[in-house]
Amino acid sequence: MDKIVPAFKNTLFDSTLSDACTDMAELGIDSLLDDGLFKSIPIVSVLVGIGKTAQNLHDRNLLKQTVKFINTFNERSVAPDKLEKYKERLCNNPKFAEEELGRVLIILNSNVDLKKSEILARFFRAYVEQKIDWNTFCELSEVTSRMFISDIELLFSVHNRQISDTSQCRVYQADRLIALGLLNSAMKSMIVGSINGSVTQRYIQTNELGNAFCTLSE
């Protein structure tokens, strides 16, 4: 982490590199790395290495997830005073930078779906903007890591009140969101002795954490 955290910080908060990261995402990281066009970007030079290309899937995936995170974080501007305040904390306390940005990198390293890195970036931006505290960011990031991508649509449907009970969705998906602490449920009805055994229907709605997930990840 000695080199990767500073490189990540410098790339994330340097507005002059935003366009380059966008180009990498649009043109395709794999082919561009082979030509060495973007190795002047700090996070790229560290992950790829001077004069080398990221030949293994692990390195390529981490770079893709990181670029997606950086692009999403910068898709909306952060209030200058709050951004400068956070950057000042990072510069004055390397241990603080290691803890927070290091955690983000570890999560990005575990992601397979780019959608999760996109969501993570929006939560992190909300943290930098002081809309949520660090503990809430950690809770939301943990939920995102454990979530099935296919369940996100259901979560938003419940949040927007398009779905209100388990008769309107796949029950196992609702169960997963309940287990993650994003939905509350209450008994609606029970049918005993049906062909498939007892069937229980429940009312479902997003709770405080589920509402925060939906509001901040849009």
Side-chain angles (χ1 to χ4, degrees):
M1 287 286 186
D2 290 346
K3 294 182 179 180
I4 192 171
V5 169
F8 180 47
K9 175 177 69 69
N10 292 337
T11 308
L12 179 63
F13 296 115
D14 187 342
S15 59
T16 64
L17 298 177
S18 298
D19 290 341
C21 286
T22 300
D23 290 341
M24 288 188 68
E26 291 179 350
L27 298 176
I29 290 174
D30 292 350
S31 60
L32 292 173
L33 284 181
D34 291 337
D35 294 331
L37 297 177
F38 289 90
K39 291 179 184 176
S40 60
I41 299 175
I43 192 65
V44 176
S45 65
V46 170
L47 290 178
V48 176
I50 303 299
K52 300 179 182 179
T53 59
Q55 296 295 339
N56 64 74
L57 292 175
H58 181 274
D59 290 344
R60 286 176 181 266
N61 181 65
L62 176 56
L63 187 52
K64 287 179 182 178
Q65 302 295 340
T66 303
V67 168
K68 184 64 174 179
F69 179 93
I70 291 171
N71 285 340
T72 304
F73 179 85
N74 288 304
E75 69 184 3
R76 297 178 189 171
S77 59
V78 178
D81 58 328
K82 293 180 179 178
L83 183 60
E84 288 304 315
K85 182 178 180 180
Y86 185 72
K87 288 166 63 176
E88 184 177 346
R89 289 177 66 193
L90 294 178
C91 293
N92 293 339
N93 191 341
K95 185 177 180 180
F96 172 79
E98 180 81 16
E99 176 186 351
E100 297 202 346
L101 297 184
R103 182 185 180 91
V104 170
L105 283 167
I106 289 171
I107 297 171
L108 291 174
N109 195 33
S110 68
N111 285 348
V112 175
D113 298 289
L114 290 173
K115 181 66 175 179
K116 290 190 175 182
S117 296
E118 178 183 316
I119 291 171
L120 183 69
R122 289 173 180 155
F123 292 153
F124 189 71
R125 186 173 60 222
Y127 167 62
V128 173
E129 292 175 327
Q130 299 176 5
K131 293 180 179 178
I132 57 174
D133 60 20
W134 177 247
N135 288 334
T136 302
F137 169 78
C138 291
E139 190 171 8
L140 288 168
S141 64
E142 179 65 23
V143 165
T144 305
S145 295
R146 295 166 55 196
M147 178 180 284
F148 283 67
I149 290 293
S150 58
D151 294 345
I152 294 177
E153 183 178 352
L154 173 58
L155 179 63
F156 273 90
S157 293
V158 176
H159 175 69
N160 295 327
R161 300 184 180 180
Q162 297 167 324
I163 291 178
S164 59
D165 65 71
T166 54
S167 69
Q168 301 170 299
C169 64
R170 293 183 175 91
V171 176
Y172 66 84
Q173 287 188 288
D175 286 341
R176 289 197 297 240
L177 293 172
I178 292 169
L180 285 174
L182 296 167
L183 296 183
N184 290 338
S185 65
M187 176 74 74
K188 179 184 179 184
S189 64
M190 176 180 289
I191 301 174
V192 180
S194 67
I195 295 175
N196 297 319
S198 299
V199 178
T200 301
Q201 299 294 347
R202 286 164 291 163
Y203 293 109
I204 50 177
Q205 63 179 17
T206 48
N207 54 27
E208 182 179 357
L209 184 63
N211 290 331
F213 184 101
C214 293
T215 301
L216 298 173
S217 64
E218 288 184 306

